[in-house]
């Protein structure tokens, strides 16, 4: 447990939550400020900050849980689809520095526009150059 980490405190039962699922590795509970009905957070019980400091094998196991919990939400809620969101760092909007996956159930058709990522048409030459620079 990391000092002053609110999600560690929730995992330890020191702060209450509306639990959706728990096993040896993860805890899933409703986000206190839901974006949609059923907005759920999935956290590992052991503290890591985000994607990059979590051991890959552990991350794989967490993602399997995310899949299972998303499937449960999709059948148990009115839910036509869902978004998975995982923020890393304040620049990306991460406010709680304990790894977590958001599962955001969506209702209706093409409500993705409600999420405020602003897209713009890509320039093909720039995309080609960038992909070549990033490829490994
Ligand atoms: P982030 O912006 O770091 O990806 O998301 C953190 C999320 O945690 C936010 O959606 C916020 O509403 C939620 N959150 C913060 N504190 C608590 C809490 O004490 N309990 C619950 N259930 N959710 C929390
Ligand atoms: Zn923590």
């Amino acid at each position: 447990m990391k000092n002053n980490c609110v999600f560690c405190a929730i995992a330890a039962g020191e702060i209450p939550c509306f639990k959706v699922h728990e096993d040896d590795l993860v805890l899933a509970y409703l986000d206190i400020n839901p974006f949609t009905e059923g907005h759920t957070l999935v956290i590992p019980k052991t503290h890591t900050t985000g994607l990059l400091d979590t051991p890959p094998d552990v991350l794989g196991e967490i993602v399997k849980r995310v899949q299972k919990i998303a499937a449960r939400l999709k059948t148990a809620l009115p839910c036509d689809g869902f978004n998975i969101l995982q923020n890393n760092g304040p620049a990306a909007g991460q406010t709680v520095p304990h790894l977590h996956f958001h599962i955001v159930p969506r209702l209706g058709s093409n409500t993705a526009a409600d999420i405020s990522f602003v897209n713009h048409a890509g320039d093909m030459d720039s995309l080609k150059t960038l992909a070549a620079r990033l490829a490994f």
Side-chain angles (χ1 to χ4, degrees), residues 1-105:
M1 172 158 174
K2 177 114 180 197
N3 280 349
N4 300 322
C5 173
V6 64
F7 285 1
C8 281
I10 290 174
E14 295 169 3
I15 293 178
C17 69
F18 297 110
K19 183 162 68 176
V20 172
H21 182 74
E22 181 174 14
D23 63 27
D24 54 327
L25 182 69
V26 304
L27 181 64
Y29 49 93
L30 296 180
D31 194 296
I32 205 164
N33 304 303
F35 183 60
T36 62
E37 184 188 34
H39 179 176
T40 296
L41 301 174
V42 183
I43 68 161
K45 289 181 172 177
T46 301
H47 184 94
T48 53
T49 303
L51 199 77
L52 297 183
D53 65 341
T54 305
D57 55 332
V58 175
L59 193 58
E61 290 302 318
I62 297 167
V63 171
K64 287 183 199 171
R65 270 50 165 211
V66 171
Q67 182 188 43
K68 197 165 126 181
I69 295 158
R72 165 70 186 153
L73 297 181
K74 189 152 191 305
T75 53
L77 288 168
C79 176
D80 299 317
F82 55 87
N83 300 101
I84 301 294
L85 184 65
Q86 198 279 305
N87 298 326
N88 291 274
Q94 186 179 17
T95 57
V96 180
H98 177 126
L99 175 69
H100 54 281
F101 288 81
H102 298 255
I103 306 174
V104 183

Side-chain angles (χ1 to χ4, degrees), residues 115-135:
I115 292 179
S116 60
F117 289 104
V118 179
N119 297 74
H120 59 276
D123 173 77
M124 294 303 137
D125 288 338
S126 304
L127 293 176
K128 186 177 176 187
T129 305
L130 183 60
R133 181 154 69 83
L134 298 177

